Each structure stands twice: as C-alpha cells, then as structure tokens.
Amino acid sequence: MATDLLVGDIVNEMRVAEGGFPKDNGTLPDDKPYDGLLAGDLKAPVTGIAVTWAPELGVLKQALAQGCNLVLCREPLYWFDDPDLNQSAPYWEDSVPEGTAGPTKWDVIEKSKLYQTKRDFIASSKINVILISTNWNGPSGLATRGLVKALGWKATEDFAADEQFSQARAAIVTLPPDQLIHVAQHAKNSVGAKSVRVIGERTSKVSKVAVYPGFMTLLTASRIWQTPGLDAVITGEACEWMGAEYAEDAIAAGRSKGFIMLGLAPFSDASAKEVAAWISELHPESKVQFIPVGDPLSPVMAGGLRA
C-alpha cells in the first residue's frame, strides 16, 4: 500500500504527536543523540511501516516480505548505539563499554563478518530503519499500557519510576490475592515468555503488584519499592547485582514478597504491539505491521531442552 508519505514525514509527524511536543516556542525537541535514521533515506517513499522492538536480521527480512520498507524500532541495528550517532558521549565515540572487562573498540565490531553481512543486506534491500527510543512510548506511556493490556489487567495508578525515562512508567495493579507462583505463571503465559525467574516464597499471597516494562535500573527499583503495601514487582529484566539484588533485600526487609523477571524480549513485544497501534492511528492510510521478535531463549529443564 504505497502512499505519498516519505520516511522523514513519518518521523516528524510522530514527534509532533508525542505528548508535550512541540516545545512552547513552536520548535521540535531534539531526539536523543542516538535516535534517528540508522539506514536508508529520509526522502524515500514509504510502502509500509513495520514496528518491532529489535531490528534483527530475521525481522528485517519479514518486514520486506510483508511489503514494509520502513522499520521503526527501539534498539540499534548493530547491537549497541552507533558511536557516530552519539557525539554527546565521548567515551562511546570509538568504543563499546563492557563493564569491568573494559571497552571493545567499535572498529573491531565493524570489521566482523556478521556486521558486514547485515550491513550489506540492508544496503542491497534499501530498507529504511529509524530508531525512535525518544518516541517509543508515545503519549500516555504506551509501553506500560501495552504490557498491562497483554497481562489482562487494569492499572489503578502509574508513575514515572525513572526521571531519565519519564514516559517509561510503572503501573500499579490490584489483583485478587493469589500465590506468587500463580501470578508468575499467568504473566509468563500472557506475554509468551518461555521461562520465568522468581525471587520470593512461591506460595506467598500477593495482591498489589507493580508492573514495569523493559529494563529495571537500580534507580527504578528504589522508586518502585517506595510504593506503600507493595507485594510484588514484575519486570522484563534487571541486572542481577543491582536491580535483582535490591529486590532480594526488599523481600528480606519485609518490604515486599516477590519479584518476577520474564525477560526483555516478551515484555518488549507487548509494548511494540501498542506502539504499532498508535502508528496506525497516526497514519490510517498506511500499512502498519507489528512484527514480534519472540522470546529467543529456551530453558533447559529436567528431561532436556524445552520451549
């Protein structure tokens, strides 16, 4: 379904539609340094729009097969924010930070065969890829809304749990009292996760639950656990020596009963689906496809590998 829309038109209209845009002086706000065109041409006509959280090679192929030459995503093409798009962070200009292991030189990644294979495919297919992490949540915290909807729950309140990501909001839901393990199983099945990791006594009764999309930072964890009467927290992922350890201490201190971690991929698919619906509302004349990534990791259990 070809339209008169250009790739650049989609980006500009999305930014204007974002909650709080444009600025008071009428100008559009700046995106994060690493947001923007990752591949393609802003002047290219749009044949269809694919929305996915991670622009994996397989996802790009699916987008083209479904007639979409524009991909809107939340994550970078080459596994980390391209240093060329992030001039405001000198440490990242020519290297990828690897924690205590030290940085990896970016040119090493660029010279890898996998990088070159993906780059060549993108160039030959003329697919356009836009990273929209600034706009990802859209108005009213789309990522959180999509996740709560996927879980089949209704939020009683929500709040910004991290000032750096003010639209990635934590939602509070009140459920009929149930065992922690049952809530975890429901969440797992609802978002299509292949596995679930739980901290806390499995049979503990929980009711008041916080839901936070994506990666839970230490700052996010500390803010969420200030919620009075909170029984459990569900998130996509957390660093085991920060967010997860904070959860363990919160439970040990009697401030909570459980922590459920389902994986970033299934949680992000739920948010991407909601973003795709928002894009469809902005451009009803265009083909808009939600392309799920799915949970790529399979757990090893007693009796062997299981999906």
Side-chain angles (χ1 to χ4, degrees):
M1 185 191 301
T3 69
D4 295 331
L5 286 172
L6 305 180
V7 171
D9 296 333
I10 300 293
V11 176
N12 288 333
E13 291 175 23
M14 184 167 50
R15 293 170 71 202
V16 172
E18 178 79 30
F21 290 178
K23 289 182 178 178
D24 292 339
N25 61 9
T27 62
L28 290 173
D30 294 330
D31 291 327
K32 294 177 182 176
Y34 40 81
D35 274 5
L37 185 71
L38 301 185
D41 184 354
L42 289 173
K43 297 180 180 180
V46 175
T47 61
I49 306 168
V51 181
T52 186
W53 75 276
E56 298 176 353
L57 185 56
V59 169
L60 299 182
K61 292 180 178 180
Q62 286 185 57
L64 290 170
Q66 296 179 33
C68 300
N69 71 337
L70 172 60
V71 174
L72 304 179
C73 58
R74 193 191 65 192
E75 301 299 329
L77 270 173
Y78 299 107
W79 322 293
F80 193 77
D81 300 317
D82 189 330
D84 291 337
L85 296 175
N86 198 353
Q87 298 303 317
S88 66
Y91 178 69
W92 291 354
E93 284 181 0
D94 62 354
S95 62
V96 179
E98 300 275 7
T100 56
T104 295
K105 298 294 286 184
W106 184 255
D107 62 354
V108 174
I109 297 173
E110 288 183 315
K111 292 175 182 177
S112 69
K113 290 184 178 180
L114 183 55
Y115 180 100
Q116 294 170 14
T117 297
K118 192 172 187 180
R119 179 201 60 194
D120 292 347
F121 171 81
I122 290 168
S124 63
S125 67
K126 296 184 179 180
I127 195 169
N128 305 278
V129 182
I130 300 286
L131 193 152
I132 58 168
S133 67
T134 302
N135 304 88
W136 185 258
N137 288 310
S140 305
L142 284 176
T144 307
R145 188 199 312 169
L147 181 54
V148 173
K149 183 185 295 184
L151 292 168
W153 297 338
K154 185 176 180 180
T156 56
E157 63 176 294
D158 64 76
F159 56 88
D162 188 331
E163 294 178 357
Q164 297 181 39
F165 307 100
S166 59
Q167 288 184 309
R169 305 178 70 80
I172 302 298
V173 298
T174 301
L175 309 173
D178 201 352
Q179 294 183 14
L180 176 65
I181 192 61
H182 293 163
V183 174
Q185 289 170 336
H186 168 81
K188 172 181 176 291
N189 295 334
S190 297
V191 301
K194 293 179 181 177
S195 63
V196 59
R197 305 175 75 183
V198 179
I199 300 175
E201 176 56 48
R202 294 162 58 97
T203 58
S204 295
K205 288 294 183 71
V206 299
S207 176
K208 190 173 185 178
V209 178
V211 178
Y212 185 77
F215 179 80
M216 190 180 73
T217 65
L218 180 60
L219 177 61
T220 302
S222 64
R223 173 67 182 87
I224 289 175
W225 261 287
Q226 292 180 32
T227 305
L230 189 64
D231 293 321
V233 175
I234 302 178
T235 192
E237 65 174 346
C239 181
E240 293 187 23
W241 49 271
M242 287 194 294
E245 185 176 349
Y246 191 97
E248 289 185 285
D249 284 347
I251 293 169
R255 297 184 58 84
S256 182
K257 298 177 182 178
F259 176 67
I260 301 169
M261 190 162 65
L262 293 174
L264 184 63
F267 261 37
S268 296
D269 273 346
S271 66
K273 185 175 183 179
E274 195 73 6
V275 174
W278 176 54
I279 298 298
S280 293
E281 292 176 1
L282 292 180
H283 300 284
E285 75 286 2
S286 299
K287 173 194 289 185
V288 179
Q289 297 288 130
F290 159 59
I291 301 183
V293 174
D295 192 341
L297 303 175
S298 296
V300 177
M301 303 178 181
L305 189 66
R306 299 180 184 177

